[in-house]
């Protein structure tokens, strides 16, 4: 397994909001670099990056295991009646998950702007290493959502599964995008030898 961690990729949400540079070129260059190392598959654990990766996905010389496709499929298996979507503002704003869900006949419920602010704060707290606060913020958001509709939670941002894990909420009520991507990579690499 090779890992390319590039801290110079421009902020994806800022790009979507028009307040920062477009990361498409850097993402393409990094993925082509990894492909050039001789890998059989590519995977990117950032959901929001796929807004831009989808622009050139067909140009990649090796298959991309797509975090959004895999998370939607995992949600549909676990919670066929639908799920709450917790993600970055940019991921929600662009309808990235909704497009892939629609292809499968699946439904995500979207949070209010106020709840989205709390989701953003939770992921920011995770980045700052303030896990207890992130968990508290996540618990408040999720409990509020469950009062509206008691559906499982899709944590569709790299930091959000960590905030959910720190929340004390039931682990079996969420679908982690990181878990869905990891499971998909193992299935692709090991086939029937791997089952969860």
């Amino acid at each position: 397994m090779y890992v390319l961690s590039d801290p110079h990729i421009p902020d994806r949400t800022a790009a979507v909001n028009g307040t920062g540079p477009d990361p498409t070129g850097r993402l393409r260059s990094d993925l082509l670099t990894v492909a050039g190392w001789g890998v059989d598959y590519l995977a990117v654990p950032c959901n929001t990056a796929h807004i831009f990766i989808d622009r050139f996905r067909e140009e990649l010389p090796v298959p991309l295991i797509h975090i959004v496709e895999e998370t939607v499929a995992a949600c549909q298996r676990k919670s066929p009646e639908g799920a709450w979507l917790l993600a970055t503002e940019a991921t929600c704003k662009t309808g990235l998950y909704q497009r892939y869900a629609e292809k499968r006949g699946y439904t995500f419920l979207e949070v209010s702007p106020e709840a989205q602010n709390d989701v953003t704060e939770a992921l920011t707290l995770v980045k700052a290493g303030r896990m207890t606060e992130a968990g508290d913020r996540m618990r408040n958001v999720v409990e509020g959502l469950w009062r509206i509709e008691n559906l499982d939670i899709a944590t569709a941002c790299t930091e959000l599964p960590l905030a959910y894990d720190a929340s004390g909420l039931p682990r079996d009520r969420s679908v982690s995008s990181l878990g869905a991507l990891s499971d998909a990579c193992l299935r692709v690499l090991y086939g029937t030898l791997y089952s969860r």
Side-chain angles (χ1 to χ4, degrees), residues 110-159:
E110 298 179 51
V111 304
S112 69
E114 295 76 24
Q116 182 62 51
N117 289 338
D118 286 337
V119 170
T120 301
E121 182 64 20
L123 68 89
T124 302
L125 289 165
V126 170
K127 288 180 180 182
R130 295 161 59 184
M131 298 306 297
T132 300
E133 294 168 80
D136 291 344
R137 188 64 58 106
M138 175 64 77
R139 186 173 54 257
N140 289 338
V141 169
V142 171
E143 288 174 346
L145 297 177
W146 283 343
R147 284 192 289 272
I148 298 167
E149 189 79 31
N150 191 19
L151 292 173
D152 284 353
I153 305 295
T155 51
C157 170
T158 306
E159 292 78 20

Side-chain angles (χ1 to χ4, degrees), residues 47-166:
N47 289 268
T48 309
H50 287 70
I51 296 165
F52 306 94
I53 291 169
D54 280 355
R55 297 175 182 172
F56 61 86
R57 180 183 184 184
E58 298 305 317
E59 301 169 24
L60 295 171
V62 294
L64 174 77
I65 303 171
H66 199 284
I67 195 169
V68 178
E69 291 175 347
E70 297 302 335
T71 305
V72 173
C75 285
Q76 194 165 35
R77 286 190 301 271
K78 185 173 182 320
S79 183
E81 65 279 11
W84 285 103
L85 178 66
L86 301 188
T88 64
E89 177 189 343
T91 297
C92 294
K93 182 178 183 177
T94 60
L96 177 66
Y97 263 84
Q98 293 82 345
R99 284 194 303 278
Y100 281 94
E102 187 176 322
K103 291 177 188 177
R104 296 182 64 100
Y106 192 68
T107 303
F108 284 110
L109 277 66
E110 298 179 51
V111 304
S112 69
E114 295 76 24
Q116 182 62 51
N117 289 338
D118 286 337
V119 170
T120 301
E121 182 64 20
L123 68 89
T124 302
L125 289 165
V126 170
K127 288 180 180 182
R130 295 161 59 184
M131 298 306 297
T132 300
E133 294 168 80
D136 291 344
R137 188 64 58 106
M138 175 64 77
R139 186 173 54 257
N140 289 338
V141 169
V142 171
E143 288 174 346
L145 297 177
W146 283 343
R147 284 192 289 272
I148 298 167
E149 189 79 31
N150 191 19
L151 292 173
D152 284 353
I153 305 295
T155 51
C157 170
T158 306
E159 292 78 20
L160 293 179
L162 304 176
Y164 189 95
D165 287 349

